[in-house]
Amino acid sequence: MEAALTSSSGERYRDLSLWWDRLPGTLAVRPPLAGDTEADVAIVGAGLTGLWTAYYLAGADPGLKIAVVERDVAGFGASGRNGGWCSALFAASEERLDREAGAGAGAAMRRAMESTVAEVGRVVDAEHIECGFAAGGTVVLARTGVQLQRTHDEVAAARARGIDADGLRFLSASEAAAMVGATDVLGGTYTPHCAAVDPARLVRGLAEAVERRGATIYEQTAARALLAGAVDTERGTVRAPIVVRATEGYTRSLDGEVRTLAPVYSLMIATEPLPDAFWEEAGLSRRETFADHRHLIIYGQRTDDGRMAFGGRGAPYHFGSAIRPEFDRDGGVHESLRSALVELFPALAGTEVTHRWGGPLGIARDWFPSVGLDRATGGAWAGGYVGDGVSTTNLAGRTLCDLILRRDTELTSLPWVGHRSKRWEPEPLRYVGINAGLRLAGSADRAEERTGRATWRSRALGRVLGG
Ligand SMILES: Cc1cc2nc3c(=O)[nH]c(=O)nc-3n(C[C@H](O)[C@H](O)[C@H](O)COP(=O)(O)OP(=O)(O)OC[C@H]3O[C@@H](n4cnc5c(N)ncnc54)[C@H](O)[C@@H]3O)c2cc1C
C-alpha cells in the first residue's frame, strides 16, 4: 500500500527534502474536495505538470473552471524534492526523435526545451517566485580517459547536428577545473541551457500563482480512478469533460495504471552551508549545475545558501512499483552519494550532511516522455520524464493548454505529442528487467575504472537507454 502522509499540520512535510525544510513561513494545508463538483478541466496531481497546466490554461481562458486534486500537498512529489536542474535535457535523444518522427524532429524538440528554460525564468520573474533561479548553465566533467573520450564524442556529435560552441562547448582541463574545483578533472563540457532552482519554492510559488489565476487546488484528496468525463476521488467525484493525469512517478496509484510508468527512485543529500573558503576552491561561482560523465547519473548544485546539494540514481526499483515513505531514505545509497561527493571535493570529508531524502520519478517502458490528449475520452496526460522534468513539465503544461483549447501550434506538433509507450511487463519481469538495467549502469562504471576503457557494458547500456 502506498502511504500518504496524513497530518493536519503541514509542518510534517518539511521532512520531505532540504527544499521543504527551507520553505519560509508556516506550511498550511489547503482544504480537500468537499463532495461532488463539476469543472471544465480536472487535473490530478499538484506537481509541476499539473500546476503548469493549470497556470497556462487559467491564463489563456480565465473563464475556465479548473480543479486540481492532490493526494497530499502541492509539491509533495518529485517536484518538491529534485536536484533543481531546470535544464534543456530531454530523455529521448535527438537521433531517436528523428527516427521516430522524421528529420528535424530532434532539433525542434531541442529548441523547444532550450526556450523552456527561459520561459520558466520569465514566469518566475513575472510571478515573483523567489526560488533562487540562477541561469548558470551546466558543467559536465570528464574525470577519466574514457569519460574524456565520451566528452569529445559528445561535442563532435553536437557539431554534426549543427549545435555550435554557444550551445555546447568543450572545456579543457584548466577551463573545467576553473569552473568546478573537483579532483581529477581532465576536461568537460559546458552548456548555458540550465538554471539552478530551489524546486520546492518553485512548485509552491507556482501553486499560489495558479490560485491567483482563479483555479482551485484541493489537497488531501486522493484520486482513485480516472474515467471518461470524471475523476473518482476519496472525497467525491469531479465531473469534467477534460481530465489530466499529472501523477508521473505515482501513476501506479490510479486504477488500471500500475504498468503505465515505473517509479524509479533518485536520492539526494545536502551539506550544511559551506564557508567562503571552500567555495573559493570549489568554484561554481555562477551556481552552475554539475555532473560528470559516469553512467550511473550524479547531479549537483551549489544552493543559494551555499550548501552542496548532490544526488544520484542507484536505489533499486521496488517490486510491484511500490512507493513507500521509507524508500526515500536508503542508508547504503546515501552513503555512496556522500563518498562520491567527497571524492569530488575532498575538503568536504568532515562536513556534516544535514539532509538525506529521495523520491520516485516516472519512466515509460520505452524511456520516451510523452504528452497528449485523447479527444474521444477527454483523457489527457503528461509524464515519463526519466528524471528531467523540472523544465519539461513547463513545456508539457503549455502543450496541454494548446491541446485542450484546440490550438494547432508549434508546440502541439513536437514529436513527443501523442506518443504512446507500451505498458511495462507484469511482475516479476518488470522487477528483474529494471533492476538489471540499474545494476548495469553501476557495473559499467566499475568496469571502466578497472580497465580504463569503455566495455561491452557501456555499449549495452546505450542500447538499454534507447540510444
Ligand atoms: C530526487 C530527485 C531528483 C531529481 N532531479 C531532477 C533535476 O535536477 N532536474 C529535473 O529536470 N528533474 C529532476 N527530477 C525529476 C523531476 O523532479 C520530475 O520529473 C518532475 O518533478 C515531475 O513532476 P510531476 O508534476 O509530473 O510529478 P510529481 O512532482 O511527482 O507530482 C505528482 C503529484 O501527484 C500526486 N498524486 C499521486 N497520486 C495521486 C492520486 N492518486 N490522486 C491525487 N494526486 C496524486 C502526488 O502527491 C504528487 O504531488 C528529479 C526527481 C527526483 C525524485
Side-chain angles (χ1 to χ4, degrees):
M1 242 332 256
E2 282 174 41
L5 291 178
T6 49
S7 162
S8 54
S9 163
E11 291 301 309
R12 281 201 51 196
Y13 292 103
R14 288 194 186 277
D15 283 349
L16 288 176
S17 64
L18 163 75
W19 320 113
W20 270 88
D21 196 23
R22 294 194 324 169
L23 282 171
T26 50
L27 299 179
V29 176
R30 295 175 173 85
L33 181 68
D36 297 349
T37 190
E38 291 192 358
D40 297 305
V41 181
I43 297 172
V44 180
L48 286 170
T49 298
L51 294 172
W52 283 125
T53 306
Y55 179 79
Y56 287 106
L57 272 174
D61 183 350
L64 281 179
K65 190 172 175 210
I66 301 168
V68 183
V69 297
E70 162 58 48
R71 191 185 60 179
D72 284 282
V73 286
F76 171 86
S79 298
R81 311 182 192 193
N82 60 66
W85 285 41
C86 181
S87 75
L89 294 170
F90 186 74
S93 70
E94 287 190 36
E95 290 72 17
R96 187 163 175 213
L97 292 166
D98 282 351
R99 271 199 312 274
E100 303 219 356
M109 197 71 209
R110 179 195 346 126
R111 285 192 297 271
M113 286 300 302
E114 288 171 1
S115 57
T116 296
V117 179
E119 170 64 8
V120 173
R122 189 193 66 75
V123 177
V124 159
D125 274 353
E127 299 292 346
H128 309 290
I129 299 174
E130 305 285 335
C131 63
F133 187 94
T138 298
V139 182
V140 182
L141 300 171
R143 298 175 59 249
T144 65
V146 187
Q147 291 186 15
L148 188 61
Q149 186 54 50
R150 215 171 277 142
T151 303
H152 284 298
D153 294 347
E154 190 188 325
V155 173
R159 295 292 175 271
R161 297 198 64 84
I163 301 169
D164 64 16
D166 289 340
L168 187 77
R169 186 152 68 86
F170 179 78
L171 301 174
S172 66
S174 58
E175 287 173 319
M179 283 185 177
V180 191
T183 49
D184 301 328
V185 174
L186 302 177
T189 52
Y190 176 76
T191 173
H193 299 296
C194 187
V197 297
D198 174 326
R201 283 192 271 152
L202 173 63
V203 67
R204 302 284 297 173
L206 182 61
E208 287 170 12
V210 161
E211 289 176 317
R212 284 195 294 276
R213 288 189 162 190
T216 308
I217 303 170
Y218 300 101
E219 295 185 335
Q220 313 286 301
T221 302
R224 287 187 292 227
L226 310 191
L227 313 167
V231 180
D232 168 39
T233 86
E234 289 174 350
R235 309 270 189 168
T237 301
V238 186
R239 301 211 164 279
I242 304 284
V243 170
V244 180
R245 164 164 64 71
T247 44
E248 235 260 326
Y250 300 84
T251 298
R252 58 99 59 238
S253 69
L254 301 167
D255 267 9
E257 305 277 5
V258 77
R259 289 166 54 195
T260 306
L261 293 174
V264 171
Y265 275 73
S266 199
L267 267 53
M268 292 198 69
I269 57 173
T271 66
E272 58 192 318
L274 299 164
D276 292 346
F278 170 79
W279 289 114
E280 274 157 31
E281 296 296 317
L284 300 170
S285 56
R286 289 178 295 153
R287 296 191 48 226
E288 298 90 335
T289 52
F290 69 93
D292 69 16
H293 268 284
R294 75 187 75 189
H295 293 296
L296 195 65
I297 292 169
I298 55 154
Y299 48 89
Q301 73 148 288
R302 173 179 180 169
T303 64
D304 58 357
D305 63 350
R307 300 166 190 262
M308 200 58 104
F310 187 74
R313 305 271 172 83
Y317 158 83
H318 300 281
F319 193 86
S321 295
I323 298 173
R324 295 206 194 104
E326 58 266 33
F327 297 160
D328 295 352
R329 291 182 173 81
D330 177 317
V333 177
H334 278 132
E335 184 47 34
S336 310
L337 286 172
R338 202 193 66 82
S339 306
L341 182 62
V342 170
E343 191 201 311
L344 283 158
F345 303 99
L348 295 179
T351 300
E352 194 192 342
V353 169
T354 54
H355 295 76
R356 294 172 178 80
W357 73 97
L361 48 90
I363 304 185
R365 176 65 181 83
D366 58 0
W367 293 62
F368 202 111
S370 67
V371 56
L373 166 63
D374 178 346
R375 295 222 174 272
T377 62
W381 77 93
Y385 311 112
V386 196
D388 291 322
V390 173
S391 47
T392 320
T393 49
N394 174 281
L395 185 61
R398 286 185 286 137
T399 306
L400 283 170
C401 174
D402 286 350
L403 289 171
I404 291 166
L405 299 180
R406 293 178 180 271
R407 296 168 169 172
D408 272 337
T409 63
E410 249 177 63
L411 299 188
T412 59
S413 60
L414 287 170
W416 70 322
V417 178
H419 174 87
R420 299 276 190 178
S421 304
K422 270 197 331 193
R423 294 186 339 139
W424 282 95
E425 288 77 1
E427 297 292 21
L429 287 178
R430 193 157 77 243
Y431 179 81
V432 172
I434 295 174
N435 282 323
L438 294 173
R439 272 196 302 273
L440 188 60
S443 71
D445 286 327
R446 284 190 296 278
E448 278 187 10
E449 271 167 38
R450 235 181 13 252
T451 62
R453 59 186 168 78
T455 66
W456 66 268
R457 289 183 177 82
S458 318
R459 290 186 289 279
L461 194 66
R463 283 195 293 277
V464 170
L465 302 183

